[in-house]
Amino acid sequence: MTAFQELRLLTLSEAASVLQISKRTLLRMIQQGEVPAFKVGGQWRIRESQFKKWVEQKENSVSSLERDQNGKRGNGINKVVPPKSQIEPTDLSEESR
């Protein structure tokens, strides 16, 4: 098999389907430089080999982050939400006048 035969390009739809996200979300990620991609004739393409490496890197970084959080911070939950009794209701009727 030649290098050219190994080259497979994914469309936005194909890559978004793999990630189980919308094409719009994937496009935003590409435009922000988060996902490696390039344009061919005005349409975005993602090299399958680079995409696989990117997914693996994301998996590894999430796994190590979870290990760090679980090892250093208990269960990794850092969000503090006040009880409902401490949350004051807001009267929006005066603000809309």
Side-chain angles (χ1 to χ4, degrees):
M1 189 178 278
T2 67
F4 184 73
Q5 290 172 323
E6 293 177 15
L7 177 65
R8 170 146 159 67
L9 300 177
L10 301 175
T11 64
L12 281 181
S13 294
E14 291 170 330
S17 177
V18 169
L19 296 173
Q20 297 181 357
I21 60 175
S22 70
K23 286 179 10 180
R24 186 176 188 169
T25 297
L26 180 57
L27 179 60
R28 178 185 48 77
M29 293 171 73
I30 289 169
Q31 290 171 337
Q32 292 176 349
E34 296 177 39
V35 178
F38 59 95
K39 279 191 171 184
V40 176
Q43 296 185 3
W44 287 102
R45 294 293 181 259
I46 301 169
R47 184 180 285 196
E48 187 178 44
S49 60
Q50 287 181 326
F51 184 67
K52 285 180 181 181
K53 287 178 187 175
W54 178 83
V55 169
E56 289 169 359
Q57 288 174 344
K58 288 294 186 183
E59 286 176 337
N60 292 336
S61 66
V62 168
S63 296
S64 62
L65 178 62
E66 288 174 347
R67 281 194 303 271
D68 289 347
Q69 287 180 343
N70 289 333
K72 295 178 184 174
R73 297 186 185 120
N75 62 6
I77 300 173
N78 298 322
K79 187 174 181 181
V80 177
V81 179
K84 287 184 179 181
S85 62
Q86 293 180 0
I87 300 174
E88 297 181 22
T90 305
D91 185 7
L92 298 176
S93 61
E94 292 181 14
E95 292 178 9
S96 61
R97 290 183 195 175

